Amino acid sequence: MPNNNSIPRLQTSNSIPLQSQPSQLSTVTYGSNEIVNNDIVSTIQTIFSSTTCYELMQSSSKAVVFEVNIPFQLAFYAMVENDTEVAPLWDPEKRCFSAIMTTYDYINALRICLLRGIPMIDLSSKTIEDMLNTPLLTFAHPYFDPLDAEETIYQLCRNLHHSASDYVPIIDPDSGALVSTLGYLDIVHLLDSAAKQYPELFEETLESMGIYSHMLHGAITTNKTSGALTLTKNMFLSEVLNVLESNHISGAPVVDEQGKVCSYYHKSDVTFITKATDPENILTNLRDMTLGEILLYRESIQSNGDSLTNIHGLVTCAIHDKLSVILNAMMIYRVTKVVCVDNLYQCKGVVSIKDILHYYLVNSANSHH
């Protein structure tokens, strides 16, 4: 790995919120035009090891925190209202944070209610603490494992990887107070910023990096011609969520009758809930609505100029696209996964920010031993 002095620490601007204007974020400034070109991977590793979590935090971003004694359903709607997918949970009796709630925890609870024939009224009467303690549901982040704000992004990536989590709470090293929650999209921001200033570091393609072959090797396939699990419009939403859950994936491309990629569905999509006219209709929508109907409803809302929260849209790439292009697309559309397609728009696989991090921090580390 090159000397840390060859690449000064990351300097970022906190004046523009990441959530509101991702395309206008300032690029990283290293204070030096000297870049070590003979080992690109080590250079990028140095960026991870010389940048702190504090430097990735957005000063103007808002944090949503819930006490565990409030209603589970109320907390979910508050998250939708505040356009956030994650909220740390505070236990007032123990006077400490105990876990993290995501919007998918509520959607997963609905899925389980439908499977077990549990009426909606039973769910609406439960507190967050009730749901944390029930054996029927496991939260995506059932523990609160924070990271010091002065720790490096390299350590953040290790924590995300080893805990199989999507988010890590960040605390102030002096006061112990919660100051942020960082996840994979924040790492996309870091790499996209670096790629804007030093595109020569990110000129490799998915194919040349070996990410494409790794993606195919680890793919969950539904047929011999597809490189990844795909969904069809005639699938019921309950079936879709069961498939995603059983395969331990967060989302999948949607294909049309010709097998062409036409959309993407993520398990945190709340469209079927917002469409419901009353609480009981939520389970009815989950049971009876098809994926095609959900996609049409999403299109009708967007055509009216209304915004949709917690929607992970379709972003595609080809195996010969440069990494800089893929990272920029992720940042613009606020996604951490991109669907790889061929010339006929057939799905060949899904590349995620996790695959990119695996290349830089796991495969490369192993190759140096």
Side-chain angles (χ1 to χ4, degrees), residues 55-114:
E55 291 168 297
L56 266 194
M57 290 164 42
Q58 301 299 310
S59 62
S60 54
S61 63
K62 58 187 177 183
V64 176
V65 177
F66 298 130
E67 291 189 352
V68 295
N69 53 13
I70 73 169
F72 182 53
Q73 183 170 285
L74 178 65
F76 166 77
Y77 282 107
M79 294 173 73
V80 173
E81 179 70 22
N82 285 277
D83 194 18
T84 182
E85 292 185 19
V86 57
L89 301 177
W90 175 262
D91 190 321
E93 291 188 3
K94 297 178 181 178
R95 299 191 60 79
C96 65
F97 287 99
S98 59
I100 294 177
M101 178 178 170
T102 67
T103 51
Y104 178 66
D105 292 322
Y106 183 77
I107 293 172
N108 195 29
L110 293 174
R111 184 186 68 85
I112 293 172
C113 283
L114 186 62

